[in-house]
Amino acid sequence: MIKTFLAGLVLLLIIGCEQSRHTLVYETRHQPIQLGPHLSSVPADSIGSVSGSYSHFHREPVESESGRIRLGEFESEGVDFDGMFMALEADPRYFISDGKYVTEVRYGISLFTILVVVLFDAVSSESANMGVTEAVIIEYEGTLYQIPETE
Amino acid sequence: MKIYIGFPKAHILIFILAITTIGCSVGANVTVDAPDVTHPVSQTSSFYTEDNQLMLPGDYRVTEDFSFTMYAMGVNNLIKIRSHKDISKHLNDLVTEHDADGIVDLEISVDIPGINGLFLFLRFSTGVLAVFSTGAAILEPDVNHIVTAVSSTSLFFLMPGVSRIRVDGKLVSIAETNTEFYQDEVDTEFIGE
């Protein structure tokens, strides 16, 4: 298990100018994770489906005009590829193919932010800048295959 | 027994719609796949060839890095409309154009472009219009109010969002074998008596 987890690493790069970009990067030593189908005259044996997911949620703070007061900032991140890498670990001849990504993005203003702004305006002499909420979810689905033994 | 609610039904409806309007968002659901690629496309540094040979970084040569970006619209509210991006042709064209044998280290990146701010503003505007026009349609039901209420409410629930997807990768050529056969020319000279 340690070997696979060392060999399999999901690295998330956050770059970009005005918005953050979220990238899934896989690192395995000898077990490919292929997006397209496995192209071979000798088909590989299908073992089953595997999947993983990544999510990132960020709520910008409600900030006073002077910038001294910041309320309600929240950020969370979730990564779940354990099942996928545990499946690869079971046999070095396993690999993943027929990959597919299901992505979801959301951009808006949450009810929580609205309430914080209303309360802020009620108790403070300064006006408040409303922050936006962003969510990115990336799900990966693929099929686990076993490469046939060479004669 | 009659129960007096205490508020006219229009006020309740407006309150419900107002609650729905605030805390609004736009978004997009996009499926990305490549089911029709004609060469191996791997998201790691290794891949299997057509004869099931495992190619590791020492077995191929990176010929070119590539990157392309695409935008996809969708609806991600109470109503969800998912879009689909098949990047097979794009990848196939890249491999063919550069005479490569496959793609490795393919990365898929997702972010939220700034235009979603405009769609959010439009959704908020249509939401406010939906609230007031619905109230007006209830209080004074005429064709104009009803049409405005229906159209603005529909727009509110169908306002799209945009997702920006970037694909990066490396085109590779499988290295030729290092064995070279030299056929020395042998000069023969007959030495004879």
Side-chain angles (χ1 to χ4, degrees):
Chain A
M1 179 183 291
I2 295 174
K3 176 183 172 184
T4 300
F5 281 111
L6 287 175
L9 174 67
V10 178
L11 177 64
L12 305 171
L13 308 174
I14 301 177
I15 56 175
C17 45
E18 58 179 7
Q19 307 288 350
S20 56
R21 190 164 67 222
H22 306 268
T23 308
L24 291 184
V25 177
Y26 307 100
E27 284 287 339
T28 60
R29 295 217 179 104
H30 302 101
Q31 294 172 289
I33 297 176
Q34 300 182 171
L35 184 64
H38 176 57
L39 305 164
S40 173
S41 55
V42 180
D45 299 322
S46 169
I47 305 299
S49 298
V50 292
S51 63
S53 68
Y54 162 77
S55 62
H56 180 262
F57 177 84
H58 178 236
R59 185 176 63 219
E60 289 180 358
V62 175
E63 199 169 344
S64 65
E65 233 175 337
S66 62
R68 289 180 302 171
I69 304 173
R70 292 164 62 94
L71 296 171
E73 185 171 17
F74 178 79
E75 185 166 5
S76 72
E77 196 170 66
V79 180
D80 182 14
F81 282 84
D82 293 353
M84 195 165 105
F85 288 118
M86 284 175 66
L88 281 173
E89 182 193 60
D91 191 317
R93 291 181 298 145
Y94 283 175
F95 70 101
I96 295 173
S97 193
D98 301 333
K100 179 175 74 173
Y101 281 91
V102 179
T103 68
E104 178 179 343
V105 299
R106 284 199 305 270
Y107 182 82
I109 302 170
S110 67
L111 178 59
F112 177 84
T113 301
I114 300 280
L115 293 174
V116 170
V117 168
V118 170
L119 285 172
F120 188 92
D121 284 346
V123 302
S124 169
S125 57
E126 297 179 76
S127 61
N129 298 319
M130 192 179 296
V132 295
T133 300
E134 298 174 7
V136 174
I137 299 171
I138 305 174
E139 295 175 351
Y140 176 84
E141 301 169 4
T143 304
L144 187 69
Y145 287 95
Q146 182 180 48
I147 205 75
E149 286 194 36
T150 53
E151 297 178 359
Chain B
M1 182 175 68
K2 290 186 180 178
I3 299 175
Y4 178 65
I5 297 177
F7 292 97
K9 60 180 179 181
H11 289 183
I12 296 174
L13 184 61
I14 290 173
F15 176 76
I16 292 171
L17 287 175
I19 292 295
T20 306
T21 299
I22 61 177
C24 69
S25 65
V26 294
N29 287 323
V30 185
T31 301
V32 181
D33 60 7
D36 297 322
V37 290
T38 55
H39 293 78
V41 176
S42 176
Q43 298 187 258
T44 61
S45 55
S46 61
F47 63 95
Y48 279 110
T49 62
E50 289 187 10
D51 53 3
N52 292 336
Q53 292 298 314
L54 180 64
M55 293 289 113
L56 300 173
D59 302 321
Y60 58 76
R61 177 173 56 93
V62 177
T63 57
E64 186 97 14
D65 289 355
F66 69 87
S67 176
F68 60 89
T69 301
M70 51 193 179
Y71 294 83
M73 293 183 75
V75 179
N76 191 18
N77 306 311
L78 288 176
I79 296 173
K80 294 184 188 297
I81 299 176
R82 178 171 292 172
S83 56
H84 175 229
K85 288 290 184 184
D86 181 351
I87 59 174
S88 303
K89 184 178 184 309
H90 208 131
L91 296 177
N92 289 339
D93 289 345
L94 280 168
V95 171
T96 305
E97 184 182 323
H98 293 89
D99 198 24
D101 295 312
I103 294 173
V104 299
D105 293 331
L106 188 82
E107 297 174 3
I108 306 258
S109 307
V110 180
D111 75 329
I112 305 171
I115 195 171
N116 283 297
L118 172 63
F119 285 120
L120 181 63
F121 171 75
L122 290 175
R123 185 162 196 245
F124 184 79
S125 302
T126 55
V128 171
L129 181 60
V131 166
F132 285 103
S133 60
T134 302
I138 292 171
L139 295 173
E140 294 180 28
D142 66 22
V143 175
N144 289 334
H145 288 157
I146 293 173
V147 167
T148 304
V150 171
S151 57
S152 57
T153 304
S154 302
L155 266 177
F156 174 75
F157 285 111
L158 292 174
M159 187 63 65
V162 181
S163 176
R164 179 164 52 203
I165 297 166
R166 181 170 131 172
V167 181
D168 299 275
K170 298 175 183 175
L171 295 164
V172 299
S173 290
I174 295 173
E176 293 177 357
T177 58
N178 291 326
T179 306
E180 294 181 342
F181 296 95
Y182 294 96
Q183 182 69 39
D184 289 328
E185 286 191 6
V186 178
D187 292 328
T188 58
E189 183 178 340
F190 176 77
I191 301 175
E193 294 184 0

